[in-house]
Amino acid sequence: MNVGVLYSRIRRDEKLLLSELRDRGHEVTKIDVRKERFGVHEPPQAFDGVDIVVDRCLATSRSRYVTRFVDAYDLPVVNDPETAAICADKARNSLVLAEAGIPTPATEVTFTKESAMESIEEFGYPCVLKPVIGSWGRLMAKIDSRDAAEAILEHKETLGHYEHKVFYIQEFVEKPGRDIRVVATDGEPVAAMARSSDHWLTNAARGAETEAIEITDEMADLVERASEAVGGGLLGVDLMETGDSYTVHEVNHTVEFKALNEVSDVDVPATVVDWLESRVRGVEVTA
């Protein structure tokens, strides 16, 4: 098969994926989205002969738009543009999880700093303020006092992009110094790791220590349901332990897997390519 890989920068994750594809004899078409022009009637020439497209764009804005164009060109794309749109927006992400009955942290969205302050006071301290768009734990704030809340809200209202005027406020979940990332393909867990840190943010990109963990039946069930809620695909489902259970706080659509691959006995890129091959075979059968 010929796999088109959308990118703006080739990271370790993409190198692992490209290497696995080439080792199996698949043709790879690397498509640098920074250099292409996406017409509303005709696709760029770079897509000629491509059987499936994998979105690995670093920037969320590019990912959301380019997958929409690829879908309009009637090419199968991982992930689907609607899935990308839901996962890229924390408010939409939380809404679909809640609508599906999946345990997820209590969250409120407001549009003025006065309403935001009311929500924060009702949640109590600490609580968490997040940008609706963003990743790697950037611009997230754990708010410990009213003074801190007032300062952060004023900065967001005065200096921020319009998206920062959408105040996404969430309860602070007391977790045991770690959270859990599960990579899944259409709801089927591939592997899982715990990300541990003394800091309240436990992103691997921020230096959290990682270790492989066993996927329990409850985790697998939540991953399957969360994947279905956002539309399926190649996803990273993030969970937090809450006593004897779990809560799903986010589903990621351009999931990084290099850290997971380093600690897991599972060959993550090989499993992803297995899944891509099955997707292409499914398209050929129905064509």
Side-chain angles (χ1 to χ4, degrees), residues 83-94:
T83 296
I86 291 170
C87 292
D89 185 317
K90 288 183 176 61
R92 293 190 66 184
N93 212 319
S94 292

Side-chain angles (χ1 to χ4, degrees), residues 195-273:
R195 306 179 294 189
S196 303
S197 175
D198 292 333
H199 196 277
W200 73 278
L201 291 172
T202 50
N203 302 64
R206 298 177 68 101
E209 294 182 2
T210 57
E211 62 176 333
I213 62 168
E214 182 180 351
I215 299 170
T216 67
D217 290 342
E218 183 183 357
M219 287 166 59
D221 175 66
L222 288 172
V223 167
E224 181 180 7
R225 290 164 58 198
S227 173
E228 184 179 357
V230 302
L234 173 59
L235 301 168
V237 181
D238 292 344
L239 305 95
M240 290 184 286
E241 297 154 287
T242 56
D244 296 329
S245 192
Y246 303 91
T247 183
V248 179
H249 57 281
E250 193 168 64
V251 183
N252 301 272
H253 72 288
T254 47
V255 58
E256 296 173 84
F257 51 81
K258 61 181 182 297
L260 176 59
N261 195 60
E262 289 170 359
V263 298
S264 175
D265 292 334
V266 177
D267 188 331
V268 177
T271 307
V272 170
V273 172

Side-chain angles (χ1 to χ4, degrees), residues 148-162:
E150 289 174 343
I152 293 168
L153 293 175
E154 184 173 359
H155 277 81
K156 284 176 69 69
E157 187 176 65
T158 305
L159 301 176
H161 184 268
Y162 77 91

